Amino acid sequence: MRTYPRARITGLDASVGMLDLARKKRELTGVRFLQGDAMDPAAYGASGPFDGILMAYGIRNMPDPDLCLRRLLPLLKPGGVVCFHEYSVRDSLRAHLVWNAVCLGIIIPAGLVTSPGSNIYRYLRRSVNAFDGAAAFQRRLQAAGFCDTQSATMDGWQEGIVHTFLARRPA
């Protein structure tokens, strides 16, 4: 908000708890928060048109990612950018092996200690393994009507595991 003081920012989340935490952050003063389902943001008041849309670690959890993408496209201004920050390991045997080793050796055991009885960390492992490879997700974006798709991966141990995907709504 400091860099772009006139920017209008809308945050959408299905979780009341996450929204309550976000509203308490002083640096997010002025952000409009909506409780709703990312499968149909417009139905919950996210009407756009937006210069950009960011979804982090969410598209792989959508029951119908293609429908979600088709509903996001008209929320962007022509030329607007969509950004997905997401796990994607299917294109790389190394990334797949590292991801599963980290899950089985660290994430799931730590989850058993911190959240006994929860399956969320096992779900995380399964959902990442089942999600599109980077190339397939870029094709999915193009099929939904986006153009100029590109992706970059994180570095370090997350290389090939965590990606940022960018695409534009045609002008």
Side-chain angles (χ1 to χ4, degrees):
M1 301 292 302
R2 225 177 304 141
T3 305
Y4 296 100
R6 294 185 0 200
R8 291 181 304 134
I9 300 171
T10 300
L12 175 78
D13 201 296
S15 167
V16 173
M18 293 300 284
L19 291 170
D20 287 344
L21 288 171
R23 285 185 185 103
K24 292 176 184 174
K25 294 184 177 191
R26 192 172 26 153
E27 62 271 19
L28 298 180
T29 301
V31 172
R32 177 180 173 225
F33 291 105
L34 303 172
Q35 182 186 3
D37 187 339
M39 274 299 298
D40 193 2
Y44 297 92
S47 56
F50 298 107
D51 293 317
I53 296 173
L54 166 67
M55 183 185 291
Y57 307 111
I59 194 68
R60 84 184 132 76
N61 295 309
M62 294 296 110
D64 186 341
D66 297 315
L67 179 59
C68 180
L69 293 174
R70 288 193 307 270
R71 287 177 173 166
L72 291 175
L73 184 67
L75 293 177
L76 285 170
K77 290 181 180 177
V81 175
V82 67
C83 174
F84 295 93
H85 194 67
E86 189 59 83
Y87 296 104
S88 176
V89 300
R90 285 184 125 176
D91 290 348
S92 164
L93 178 59
R94 179 200 159 279
H96 177 80
L97 293 172
V98 169
W99 169 249
N100 283 282
V102 168
C103 282
L104 294 170
I106 299 169
I107 296 173
I108 293 172
L112 292 172
V113 172
T114 59
S115 303
S118 173
N119 276 334
I120 191 69
Y121 301 106
R122 287 183 187 93
Y123 167 79
L124 174 64
R125 177 178 173 248
R126 284 191 314 272
S127 70
V128 170
N129 283 325
F131 187 61
D132 293 343
F137 186 62
Q138 287 185 61
R139 287 190 299 273
R140 188 186 292 267
L141 286 163
Q142 292 165 352
F146 292 94
C147 64
D148 300 333
T149 61
Q150 56 184 298
S151 71
T153 185
M154 301 284 286
D155 58 8
W157 78 268
Q158 297 178 88
E159 184 176 353
I161 296 171
V162 179
H163 303 262
T164 298
F165 299 92
L166 297 173
R168 264 186 337 99
R169 178 181 175 180

